[in-house]
Amino acid sequence: DIQMTQSPSSLSASVGDRVTITCQASQDIRKYLNWYQQKPGKAPKLLIYDASNLETGVPSRFSGSGSGTDFTFTISSLQPEDIATYSCQQYENRPLTFGGGTKVEIK
Amino acid sequence: QVQLVESGGGVVQPGRSLRLSCAASGFTFSSYDIHWVRQAPGKGLEWVSVISHDGSKKYSADSVKGRFTISRDNSKNTLYLQMNSLRDEDTAVYYCAKEQRYYGSGTFDFWGQGTLVTVSS
């Protein structure tokens, strides 16, 4: 199985800050990586697919980059409504696997 | 609009069975692969199983293989998860999730609200 290592596991930042989360795959997954946002008590929401493509309707302050084994997710200017847990997910191989999640809080 | 509504969760004793359902609307159900993904309390997301658009192909995680069976009824726009021999570690919120693309890729663009399964004696 492909292991997805996400860091940090949590972070605290101020409104307007640039926030960066990394995800490392245990083997080459090419561009086959997604990012999801999950607010407490809610289902996950797709933000980024194919490593860098913004899902329809998602604000442009969210972005993703990377390929191979190393990926980055960025919120260019943190907003109060961005408080959530963010998770990466690979789909190069089954079983599909997720990172452990990054909980983003407001400082 | 796309809607996925799970049902069937509840409290069940270890070793017993439960069947979850996921009612879909707002899209051509028979054209898309559909997945089950679960999340144990306070934990991350875990992919469980997928079924192809026509029901001909099914894949499951090793953790549930031989115990859980995914199925679908395209005439009813409904997905199922038959869960047998339940264990404590199966306690989780179970989500159904729709594939983003017709040909299936492993990208989930719509999720249900989830249904909680608690395995406890």
Side-chain angles (χ1 to χ4, degrees):
Chain A
D1 298 3
I2 298 176
Q3 308 302 317
M4 304 302 295
T5 303
Q6 202 174 324
S7 62
S9 57
S10 66
L11 66 89
S12 182
S14 300
V15 172
D17 281 355
R18 184 180 185 87
V19 169
T20 299
I21 298 168
T22 64
C23 188
Q24 186 170 58
S26 60
Q27 64 188 72
D28 186 352
I29 59 169
R30 296 182 281 177
K31 65 171 184 176
Y32 299 129
L33 183 102
N34 301 319
W35 289 97
Y36 298 88
Q37 174 193 66
Q38 187 175 23
K39 297 185 177 180
K42 300 295 186 181
K45 174 186 175 182
L46 177 65
L47 299 182
I48 303 285
Y49 64 95
D50 291 349
S52 60
N53 291 322
L54 197 66
E55 175 70 343
T56 302
V58 173
S60 59
R61 64 180 180 274
F62 296 102
S63 65
S65 64
S67 66
T69 60
D70 295 300
F71 299 85
T72 300
F73 173 81
T74 300
I75 307 173
S76 61
S77 177
L78 186 68
Q79 300 301 303
E81 60 267 31
D82 299 337
I83 299 315
T85 296
Y86 295 86
S87 298
C88 60
Q89 175 242 328
Q90 68 80 22
Y91 55 101
E92 165 70 23
N93 279 344
R94 276 186 294 267
L96 309 177
T97 49
F98 292 84
T102 297
K103 187 173 184 180
V104 175
E105 298 175 322
I106 295 285
K107 193 180 293 182
Chain B
Q1 70 284 18
V2 173
Q3 275 202 306
L4 298 167
V5 180
E6 301 94 339
S7 61
V11 180
V12 61
Q13 292 179 326
R16 302 299 290 266
S17 299
L18 206 59
R19 188 177 84 153
L20 305 183
S21 300
C22 170
S25 60
F27 66 102
T28 306
F29 182 72
S30 59
S31 294
Y32 291 89
D33 298 0
I34 309 288
H35 300 252
W36 286 102
V37 178
R38 68 184 180 183
Q39 187 169 36
K43 301 296 185 183
L45 297 160
E46 179 189 14
W47 174 80
V48 173
S49 192
V50 61
I51 186 167
S52 61
H53 66 98
D54 61 357
S56 63
K57 298 176 186 174
K58 305 174 186 180
Y59 302 96
S60 295
D62 285 347
S63 58
V64 306
K65 207 167 287 182
R67 300 188 299 122
F68 290 11
T69 302
I70 191 171
S71 63
R72 66 192 295 163
D73 185 338
N74 284 348
S75 69
K76 296 181 178 178
N77 286 356
T78 303
L79 172 77
Y80 303 100
L81 186 67
Q82 177 66 43
M83 303 187 295
N84 298 332
S85 303
L86 281 161
R87 304 168 179 167
D88 291 351
E89 56 264 34
D90 296 320
T91 294
V93 174
Y94 285 73
Y95 297 100
C96 57
K98 170 189 166 292
E99 269 283 357
Q100 182 189 46
R101 287 168 257 207
Y102 285 117
Y103 51 84
S105 64
T107 297
F108 316 121
D109 65 345
F110 286 95
W111 300 62
Q113 84 289 351
T115 187
L116 176 62
V117 173
T118 302
V119 183
S120 174
S121 53

